[in-house]
Amino acid sequence: MPKFFIKTYGCQMNERDSEQVAHSLLARGYERVAHEAEADVVLLNTCSVRDMADQKALGKMGMLGCIAKERPHVVFGFLGCMAQARGESLLRDLPHVDLVVGTQKFHRVADYVDELVAKKKSATAAVNARGYNRMDDLRVSIVDIAEEAGLQPTIRDQQLAPRQAAAFVSIMQGCNMHCTFCIVPHTRGAERSRSIDEIVSEVRDLVSRGVKEVTLLGQIVNLYGRHKFPKCDGKSPFVQLLEAVHEIDGLERLRFTSPHPIGFRDDLIDAISRLSKLAEHVHLPLQSGSNKILRAMHRAYTAERYVDLVRCIRQARDGIAITTDIIVGFPGETESDYKQTRDLMEEIQFDNAFVFRYSPRRGTPAAAMPDQIDERIKEQRNQDLLRIVNKSARRAGERLVGCNVEVLCEGPSKTNPARLMGRTRTNKIVVFEGHEELGGELVDVRVQQANGFSLYGTPVLPT
């Protein structure tokens, strides 16, 4: 059977979509390989939220053109957000690309791959029989970026690695928020939520296969089901879902990402205070500390409301970690606007933050706004905020030195395979000594050292 290689550019949702595609191909007998040079099918699953991911994926596919010349039977495809946004133009710009599949058609990828593998095999045989060296006249391609109604039940199935103890579960697709900097409503479409029963069934199946931690994924995850399912006893559909998943026997930890500040109502704060399986970590995108910039972004909250929300979350759960996203250099961001963001970062002291330079995305309102910021200024602000983030993260790590923390072991460390790594309930990375058999297990580790964003320690032996 053919071999396939899939590489993901983007967020956890892209990773989850890739695993769905991989599962469907494995179910048909395809073999997954670790390098594109070994593959008969090469798929790049792409994000379009930031220009860097776009450029990386385009550059990678361009480099793969040499494989296409040497092995003309290989199928090359783009999946995901960039495929959705660019469509058929990808075939014109990269002639060796055969497949372009958008964000609502991941469940159809295996069918398309089967079709293209057969056609290219036949075309290659025809070219060889005629003595040609090129397949240009026999080129086959498929582009599918059409919307598809009722596709929520197709968001399922994923391949688990041996001893894999953490998994992502998509609970919804799309977004209705229309932040002015964001292309997601264009590439992912409108909000569409799965049923609670479907999600609980998937999580229960994952737990039966050894998964101990699940992260619920959604573009605006805490707005899950708001237009589809009713409130019950004053609880939003999202809180109802959290409670249902929380009841699953064998599940140890529950996470969710990424929420929006406007989705944090009293019922969700209450759930954080009482659902013990909810991990002590909330990723809460801020984007800017300037109310003027927040309005220009269409973020629908103020810096003051955000600070109040952080206070409520910290009061709801002792020791909870809060991380965030920040955009610097949004159009019209003055030094005063930037200083307000900087001051707020100093005030809140996040456990970690992802800082991005504003990247204009084609077709978004912000891309056409006046007063675009010079790249040099963006970079200066980016580096300045990163220094604040690094100090704050280091302080958060140093507070744990000498403490015992519960770590879900993910297996060998990527930077040092001789050691193991895992994450605390507050989502901090811990590297420690131990046997590979600890992979997938919950381990108590005594933290001995904090270094940047990682902690180092030794397992606590039972007495």
Side-chain angles (χ1 to χ4, degrees):
M1 289 297 292
K3 300 175 181 179
F4 75 95
F5 168 84
I6 185 165
K7 185 173 179 63
T8 309
Y9 298 88
C11 66
Q12 295 101 323
M13 294 191 75
N14 297 94
E15 294 283 357
R16 174 64 185 86
D17 292 335
S18 291
E19 286 310 306
Q20 180 185 351
V21 171
H23 183 276
S24 64
L25 290 172
L26 288 163
R28 298 190 183 205
Y30 286 71
E31 178 186 347
R32 191 171 190 170
V33 293
H35 197 275
E36 60 267 20
E38 306 169 30
D40 305 295
V41 179
V42 178
L43 302 173
L44 303 185
N45 187 15
T46 60
C47 176
S48 266
V49 172
R50 291 181 294 278
D51 184 61
M52 183 177 294
D54 261 27
Q55 297 308 316
K56 282 184 177 179
L58 289 169
K60 178 71 171 180
M61 188 62 83
M63 292 170 59
L64 293 173
C66 61
I67 295 179
K69 292 178 181 178
E70 296 171 1
R71 305 174 66 210
H73 73 281
V74 176
V75 172
F76 294 92
F78 274 119
L79 315 176
C81 295
M82 190 176 75
Q84 186 74 38
R86 298 188 181 226
E88 200 163 337
S89 68
L90 291 166
L91 301 183
R92 295 194 299 269
D93 298 337
L94 295 158
H96 60 285
V97 172
D98 309 290
L99 179 64
V100 178
V101 177
T103 55
Q104 298 190 31
K105 298 300 179 75
F106 288 109
H107 58 293
R108 300 195 180 277
V109 172
D111 290 335
Y112 294 148
V113 167
D114 276 350
E115 182 179 341
L116 287 168
V117 166
K119 285 182 175 179
K120 292 202 82 170
K121 182 178 180 181
S122 176
T124 303
V127 168
N128 291 337
R130 296 172 189 174
Y132 296 134
N133 294 319
R134 298 178 58 182
M135 292 181 62
D136 294 2
D137 295 334
L138 295 171
R139 184 179 180 189
V140 292
S141 61
I142 295 174
V143 177
D144 188 354
I145 58 172
E147 293 184 4
E148 182 164 336
L151 60 89
Q152 294 92 314
T154 69
I155 311 170
R156 64 180 189 274
D157 299 336
Q158 55 186 298
Q159 183 72 13
L160 298 180
R163 295 182 178 275
Q164 181 177 331
F168 297 122
V169 173
S170 291
I171 66 171
M172 61 190 296
Q173 291 182 326
C175 181
N176 292 354
M177 294 304 296
H178 296 283
C179 299
T180 57
F181 56 80
C182 187
I183 199 172
V184 166
H186 173 61
T187 59
R188 292 268 178 181
E191 287 178 13
R192 304 174 303 282
S193 298
R194 302 171 66 190
S195 73
I196 289 177
D197 286 345
E198 286 176 5
I199 296 164
V200 168
S201 177
E202 181 177 350
V203 175
R204 189 173 285 121
D205 174 66
L206 290 169
V207 170
S208 74
R209 292 192 278 154
V211 167
K212 292 182 172 63
E213 174 184 297
V214 161
T215 301
L216 305 180
L217 295 179
Q219 217 66 53
I220 306 291
V221 71
N222 54 341
L223 297 184
Y224 161 84
R226 59 177 174 156
H227 298 308
K228 186 175 181 180
F229 309 120
K231 283 189 173 183
C232 183
D233 297 327
K235 298 171 185 174
S236 67
F238 183 61
V239 170
Q240 295 173 48
L241 173 63
L242 291 178
E243 291 179 338
V245 174
H246 186 273
E247 291 302 308
I248 295 174
D249 289 338
L251 181 69
E252 300 284 349
R253 293 180 180 178
L254 177 59
R255 304 183 188 271
F256 58 86
T257 198
S258 282
H260 192 293
I262 69 165
F264 270 87
R265 304 299 171 88
D266 290 345
D267 62 331
L268 181 51
I269 299 292
D270 176 63
I272 290 172
S273 72
R274 61 185 172 80
L275 297 182
S276 59
K277 292 181 183 179
L278 268 179
E280 290 83 0
H281 171 231
V282 170
H283 185 72
L284 189 65
L286 168 63
Q287 308 303 3
S288 176
S290 160
N291 288 338
K292 183 194 87 177
I293 297 300
L294 288 173
R295 283 193 299 273
M297 291 176 168
H298 287 185
R299 290 294 289 174
Y301 54 86
T302 64
E304 292 77 15
R305 164 62 182 147
Y306 185 94
V307 171
D308 185 56
L309 180 56
V310 169
R311 177 185 57 79
C312 290
I313 293 171
R314 284 175 168 165
Q315 287 178 347
R317 183 73 76 90
D318 232 18
I320 197 165
I322 298 181
T323 57
T324 196
D325 294 331
I326 298 289
I327 296 174
V328 296
F330 187 81
E333 183 186 68
T334 64
E335 282 298 324
S336 174
D337 295 319
Y338 171 68
K339 185 176 185 301
Q340 291 172 58
T341 299
R342 193 182 195 281
D343 290 347
L344 196 145
M345 295 282 285
E346 292 273 25
E347 176 185 350
I348 291 178
Q349 291 292 299
F350 292 103
D351 287 65
N352 197 357
F354 300 98
V355 183
F356 306 105
R357 290 169 290 175
Y358 168 72
S359 176
R361 308 312 293 136
R362 184 172 49 191
T364 60
M369 287 180 178
D371 301 321
Q372 298 284 329
I373 307 300
D374 183 85
E375 289 298 325
R376 179 181 54 82
I377 294 174
K378 291 181 190 177
E379 180 61 18
Q380 289 173 352
R381 292 174 182 174
N382 184 75
Q383 293 302 320
D384 184 43
L385 277 194
L386 285 176
R387 284 189 286 271
I388 294 173
V389 172
N390 290 341
K391 289 178 182 178
S392 179
R394 187 169 62 248
R395 283 193 288 266
E398 287 171 350
R399 286 195 291 270
L400 294 174
V401 173
C403 299
N404 293 349
V405 294
E406 180 193 89
V407 176
L408 182 58
C409 181
E410 298 179 14
S413 166
K414 293 178 182 178
T415 56
N416 183 357
R419 292 183 173 182
L420 301 174
M421 65 80 60
R423 293 178 187 271
T424 67
R425 291 179 61 91
T426 56
N427 208 39
K428 291 177 175 58
I429 294 173
V430 182
V431 179
F432 57 99
E433 306 278 351
H435 298 292
E436 284 192 21
E437 288 75 17
L438 291 176
E441 299 297 326
L442 290 168
V443 183
D444 285 331
V445 175
R446 189 166 189 82
V447 179
Q448 297 174 318
Q449 181 185 350
N451 181 14
F453 295 100
S454 297
L455 306 173
Y456 299 85
T458 56
V460 178
L461 299 176
T463 54

